[in-house]
Amino acid sequence: MYGSLHNHTMYSLLDGYATPKEYLDRAGEVGINAFAITEHGNGHMEF
């Protein structure tokens, strides 16, 4: 089992490029069972 625990989305300036949903959809497609989004440099949270 693999879990990706350090990921940035488009909300982390210059570090990520996709939305949280796009990341999670792709993680599910490739069989990743654990996934964490570790944003920085902002106060944005999306639920």
Side-chain angles (χ1 to χ4, degrees):
M1 175 167 69
Y2 174 78
S4 184
L5 302 179
H6 186 108
N7 302 282
H8 301 289
T9 71
M10 64 187 211
Y11 299 114
S12 284
L13 186 61
L14 302 178
D15 268 341
Y17 61 90
T19 67
K21 183 174 180 345
E22 290 170 324
Y23 274 111
L24 292 174
D25 288 347
R26 182 63 182 149
E29 290 172 6
V30 298
I32 294 175
N33 296 318
F35 190 87
I37 295 174
T38 53
E39 305 291 26
H40 61 79
N42 59 53
H44 184 85
M45 294 179 71
E46 181 175 314
F47 292 96

